[in-house]
Amino acid sequence: MHEQEIIFTQQVSGEIDRQVQAMSPSRVFVLADSNTSHFVLPALQSESAAVRNAQVITIPSGDINKDLTSLQSVWKSLTDAHASRYDVLINVGGGVVTDLGGFAAATYKRGIRFINVPTTLLGAVDAAVGGKTGINLGGFKNQVGAFSNACAVIISTTYFGTLTRDELLSGYAEMIKHAMLTGAEAFGETMTYDISETPGDSDELLSLLEKSVKVKRDIVAADPTEHGIRKALNLGHTVGHALESLAMRRQSPIPHGFAVAYGLVVESILSHIQLGFPSPTLHTLADYVNRHYSSMHFTCEDYPELLQLMSQDKKNRDADHINFTLLRDLGEPQTDCTASGKDIRDALDIYRDMAGI
Amino acid sequence: MHEQEIIFTQQVSGEIDRQVQAMSPSRVFVLADSNTSHFVLPALQSESAAVRNAQVITIPSGDINKDLTSLQSVWKSLTDAHASRYDVLINVGGGVVTDLGGFAAATYKRGIRFINVPTTLLGAVDAAVGGKTGINLGGFKNQVGAFSNACAVIISTTYFGTLTRDELLSGYAEMIKHAMLTGAEAFGETMTYDISETPGDSDELLSLLEKSVKVKRDIVAADPTEHGIRKALNLGHTVGHALESLAMRRQSPIPHGFAVAYGLVVESILSHIQLGFPSPTLHTLADYVNRHYSSMHFTCEDYPELLQLMSQDKKNRDADHINFTLLRDLGEPQTDCTASGKDIRDALDIYRDMAGI
């Protein structure tokens, strides 16, 4: 995969035009969802010549629409417009748009170039960087996709001012994860910054975000296709994805980052059981998550389904060994850990106890 | 993309087992179509432990089924079987199976390893080697796909004994193309070897095939993602794909290689018009194609549709400039040529005259 440039700026339109000019495509397409096409595109269209002249493709918003139907509609729009292999797709939106748009671009005519403009904190810190593209299929998250880098990722907090508290918190869970992978100082910083009391579109957040994205970028650069250290980025996600899928099956979806926040706590408990992750740090984390993130109700009767969902995780070699990234301590991830059903049930018990559910 | 090993052997089963053992997957899946599951799999299952123990996924045969429905069914079979990222898919079949199976493997959980076992001459010489995977969409060939190498391609003429004359000729057109890209000696060799008089499962053919695949392998190695010299391999295909698509729209599909054979003649005429490709060589080629390949009927009333189809080709920057690979002479390809509508219509006129249609 080619390198991808990550630009942190509050002048998004100018940066888009600079990037597009450097790529000299025949034509430009913009992918937005039903939210960003209303709330973000008008400003971009008035300020950026590239966006103004682009053909806009819109998909419905929401993770439920990160599906084959939306993907097909993007492929069809590009086909109907006779988009060439030399054209460029600009994905303007949250993780749904950058994941699905990235996959559409990676596969249309076997690959056209694309630019990501994440408009949510979660999209900026996680989805838009790292080359993971894809869609959900058959009830499983990101079941099909490709590793494909954007040519450029333009990160700004400009669009975060209109995000809800839940949306900001959702992205912030990934920043906590990055901090946990980094060390005590970074972790402390995230535990003292209060995202729910701060306006989203602040330069202070942009600066924190830059540090956070750097953690991910460095790990991805060392292992683009996730056969080694990149698995560290899955911290919190084996349990998080299972909770997210369970919620989706119950028709009451929860934000991705909330699932990750709960997953970080459960996997920190597992880390404590298996690797002696320090109990005080675990409690600091659990307190922060309890205080800021509402909880998801589940009981021990849901454990078999949760375990089955974890066994479907992409990181597993087979259904009998569920793969986790755990932590010996802050900044000391250990990839390719496995846990027995008993340990996982114990951790879920302790978590429910800590969360009061 | 990682390297792919290409093995020429008449002992396919042993080679499959050797490859699978070296890859040490958790599980093995085999993709076949309704033909190869009857005519090829039973022998492989009796001789190869890896194939015997594999779960078989079957798709309907034919290019018409190289579509999203078949792709979805493969994704679903892998999902239902809880296939992991560490498993291996063995594609046993012609180009439809290796193209679609390769794309399914490249995208399932963002990529699992796969082995190609081409069972047709066309599949062996063209589809199974070079990392191009994909499916047809919206009436366009290979409209979506990915560049993804098989870990191993096992080439044998073992299964060619049951191919029809048309199927052998279809593959042979790609060998003619490779020879034209190589030089006078290789071209002469293909013009004297009579594929329609020779049994398909011969060691002589395997040896010719090895030379031919080497041409492609060397070009692909120099340019895996088709931004430069690899475009030379598109010789014959701009016109060929348009004729093939036209035939498909008429509900009377023609074999891919036949379309390529006609395309090679038309593009040699264009080469003659634009670059002075030698007339005697053009006539040698046209005679061979006329003698062995039946012709496809079309008139000047079909030209607008053919030109429109050519303008949709993946190689074009935009709809106004149709991109060709042409030849100054045998072994002297020139990529990124464009031709005016008039030149293309003239070439089609001359071709129809030469072919007597």
Side-chain angles (χ1 to χ4, degrees), chain B residues 31-297:
Chain B
L31 181 67
D33 67 16
S34 36
N35 286 328
T36 52
S37 64
H38 278 95
F39 298 115
V40 177
L41 278 199
L44 284 180
Q45 282 166 328
S46 83
E47 290 162 24
S48 153
V51 175
R52 191 159 51 245
N53 297 324
Q55 176 172 332
V56 176
I57 303 169
T58 309
I59 56 171
S61 65
D63 193 71
I64 194 98
N65 293 305
K66 198 172 110 176
D67 65 359
L68 194 56
T69 305
S70 301
L71 178 65
Q72 262 186 284
S73 82
V74 178
W75 280 338
K76 184 173 188 312
S77 297
L78 292 170
T79 300
D80 290 348
H82 296 249
S84 94
R85 192 184 269 184
Y86 302 91
D87 293 341
V88 164
L89 180 67
I90 306 177
N91 300 310
V92 179
V96 170
V97 171
T98 55
D99 281 10
L100 187 145
F103 188 42
T107 53
Y108 178 75
K109 298 198 177 187
R110 295 200 193 93
I112 63 173
R113 295 167 295 174
F114 64 102
I115 293 172
N116 284 339
V117 182
T119 58
T120 64
L121 180 57
L122 180 61
V125 75
D126 188 40
V129 174
K132 282 192 180 180
T133 71
I135 58 169
N136 306 326
L137 196 84
F140 296 103
K141 303 267 305 163
N142 303 315
Q143 182 73 350
V144 303
F147 288 100
S148 183
N149 267 340
C151 290
V153 182
I154 303 171
I155 293 178
S156 159
T157 61
T158 307
Y159 311 110
F160 299 172
T162 57
L163 296 180
T164 63
R165 184 175 171 276
D166 277 9
E167 286 168 323
L168 286 170
L169 280 164
S170 190
Y172 200 66
E174 296 287 345
M175 293 174 67
I176 297 173
K177 179 192 78 177
H178 290 164
M180 291 176 76
L181 293 171
T182 307
E185 189 185 330
F187 180 69
E189 203 168 36
T190 56
M191 291 292 105
T192 48
Y193 184 79
D194 190 346
I195 184 79
S196 58
E197 293 296 324
T198 324
D201 55 345
S202 78
D203 289 346
E204 189 186 356
L205 181 58
L206 189 63
S207 154
L208 266 180
L209 192 48
E210 186 160 356
K211 282 192 218 173
S212 189
V213 169
K214 189 178 180 314
V215 176
K216 175 161 184 178
R217 192 182 52 191
D218 290 350
I219 292 176
V220 169
D223 175 24
T225 56
E226 199 169 31
H227 287 90
I229 184 61
R230 181 166 180 171
K231 292 177 189 168
L233 291 171
N234 289 316
L235 183 69
H237 282 66
T238 304
V239 172
H241 276 156
L243 290 170
E244 194 178 1
S245 295
L246 181 68
M248 204 189 290
R249 287 184 180 182
R250 288 175 172 176
Q251 312 281 324
S252 58
I254 57 172
H256 174 70
F258 280 55
V260 170
Y262 311 147
L264 286 173
V265 180
V266 177
E267 296 186 17
S268 294
I269 298 167
L270 262 182
S271 298
H272 175 71
I273 296 173
Q274 290 206 358
L275 304 173
F277 182 76
S279 178
T281 313
L282 166 58
H283 280 93
T284 304
L285 173 70
D287 287 349
Y288 192 94
V289 170
N290 285 344
R291 203 161 62 245
H292 293 285
Y293 295 81
S294 55
S295 59
M296 170 180 164
H297 188 76

Side-chain angles (χ1 to χ4, degrees), chain A residues 265-266 268-269 272 279-287 289-291 295 347-357:
Chain A
V265 180
V266 177
S268 294
I269 298 167
H272 176 71
S279 179
T281 314
L282 166 59
H283 280 93
T284 304
L285 173 70
D287 286 350
V289 171
N290 285 344
R291 201 162 63 244
S295 59
L348 290 169
D349 280 342
I350 296 169
Y351 167 73
R352 285 172 50 226
D353 206 45
M354 283 174 142
I357 55 175

